[in-house]
């Protein structure tokens, strides 16, 4: 087991009605709030009005319209509001995209240069406004971690900004806010959670026994409750289990003692950077193909262990067990109603070489991932997805 530091300073308020705490907690930092959100969903479910009711004594400014793959231009708009209005707190109401944009806004509010500089050089993140979140989609885990992924539409880059200063101060996680989610968002969110756990589970270090067992329990939770949430959208048990799994899947609990670069996310980031597809959809297509591509004598025991421990595969031969587990992952994503190929999304191979080059350049795929991948390997994985 590798050495590690573990500290998650975010205050989580989990359960129905926890939004009521916002006034008391935000007031500790000031009265001027920038509320960041996406489309009109928070208005349809009454959350927008509820926020204004709870924060009736606060001065609220708004930044609506955050994109599913949050853009640098939105971050720049938010940072300008923070500077012009002397904002005290950034309040993200929505899913991972809204929270990611809010994190970048919170630090860009104290930076005089180009906000993209902070993505390229994290040492420039030296100060950030307090970030509060009210979660409406469980997927990215951004409500309990210090990272954010931002898209630069000009350069077609989709990269992460990260700093301990970007941990949300407090996150409200009310499973009832997930009841009205479109089915595709529930499905894609579940795929995202599964992928986050896989990225930490499939790493070179095999000695973190407790971390692996926790990861397997979280994966089993997704495989159990993902279909339930789709068939029974207002099932509190399903929504609450998925919501909490989403948070702990990316608060670094499942990476302690392991480490290493991620494999599928850098490959998918190029897909959504080039084609603006839903992140979880891209992950659902890529993940089984990556699994098949890296399955070898060196990796087969871990893939077989996953199949036996999570899916209870009763197969003595490691390769048969491993392939059965991969089949079950692919079947699960199809059961969620997610596409199986890039062709279904109208994507062909014209940009694969360029995307593969960028995926390798901007990540640790070639040096620190579970199975090291070069540009040709990544291009081959894209082609497997057609």
């Amino acid at each position: 087991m590798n050495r590690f530091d573990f500290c998650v300073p975010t205050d989580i308020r989990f359960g129905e009605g926890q939004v009521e705490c916002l006034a008391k907690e935000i007031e500790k930092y000031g009265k001027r709030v920038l509320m960041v959100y996406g489309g009109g969903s928070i208005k349809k479910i009454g959350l927008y009005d509820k926020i204004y009711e709870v924060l009736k004594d606060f001065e609220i400014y708004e930044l609506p319209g955050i994109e599913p793959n949050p853009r640098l231009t939105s971050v720049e708009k938010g940072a300008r509001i923070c500077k012009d209005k002397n904002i005290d707190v950034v309040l993200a109401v929505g899913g991972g995209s809204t929270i990611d944009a809010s994190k970048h806004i919170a630090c860009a509010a104290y930076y005089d240069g180009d906000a993209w500089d902070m993505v390229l050089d994290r040492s420039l993140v030296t100060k950030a406004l307090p970030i509060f979140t009210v979660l409406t989609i469980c997927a990215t885990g951004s409500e309990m971690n210090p990272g954010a992924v931002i898209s630069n539409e000009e350069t077609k880059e989709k990269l992460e900004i990260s700093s301990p200063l970007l941990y949300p101060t407090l996150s409200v996680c009310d499973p009832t806010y997930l009841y009205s989610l479109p089915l595709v968002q529930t499905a894609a969110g579940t795929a995202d959670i599964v992928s986050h756990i896989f990225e930490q589970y499939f790493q070179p270090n095999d000695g973190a026994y407790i971390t692996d067992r926790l990861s397997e329990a979280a994966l089993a939770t997704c495989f159990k409750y993902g279909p339930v949430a789709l068939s029974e959208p207002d099932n509190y048990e399903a929504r609450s289990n998925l919501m909490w799994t989403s948070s702990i899947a990316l608060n670094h609990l499942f990476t302690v003692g392991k480490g290493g670069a991620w494999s599928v996310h850098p490959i998918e980031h190029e897909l959504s950077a080039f084609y603006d597809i839903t992140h979880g959809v891209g992950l659902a297509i890529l993940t089984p193909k990556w699994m098949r591509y890296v399955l070898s004598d060196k990796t087969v025991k871990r893939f077989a262990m996953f199949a036996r421990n999570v899916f209870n595969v009763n197969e003595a031969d490691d390769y048969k067990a491993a392939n059965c587990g991969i089949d079950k992952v692919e079947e699960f994503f199809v059961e969620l109603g997610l596409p199986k190929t890039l062709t279904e999304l109208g994507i062909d191979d014209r940009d694969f070489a360029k995307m593969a080059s960028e995926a390798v350049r901007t990540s640790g795929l070639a040096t620190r991932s579970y199975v090291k991948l070069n540009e040709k390997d990544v291009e081959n994985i894209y082609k497997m997805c057609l």
Side-chain angles (χ1 to χ4, degrees), residues 59-71:
E59 192 172 343
I60 300 176
Y61 298 87
E62 295 187 17
L63 177 64
I66 299 299
E67 307 83 4
N69 292 301
R71 297 176 181 175

Side-chain angles (χ1 to χ4, degrees), residues 14 93-97 99 133-145 172-196 221-222 225-226 229-230 233 235-250 278-280 283 336:
F14 192 98
V93 184
S97 298
I99 300 171
T133 84
V134 179
L135 194 62
T136 63
I137 302 172
C138 62
T140 71
S142 193
E143 68 278 2
M144 202 179 181
N145 68 50
V172 172
C173 301
D174 184 338
T176 64
Y177 295 152
L178 308 180
Y179 287 174
S180 62
L181 278 177
L183 295 182
V184 67
Q185 290 189 14
T186 294
T190 302
D192 200 3
I193 301 167
V194 168
S195 181
H196 289 161
T221 300
C222 294
Y225 285 111
L230 287 174
N235 185 308
Y236 188 86
E237 179 182 338
R239 294 296 194 179
S240 58
N241 276 279
L242 286 172
M243 189 173 235
W244 184 232
T245 301
S246 174
S247 296
I248 62 174
L250 202 52
T278 300
H279 179 54
L283 292 171
L336 294 183

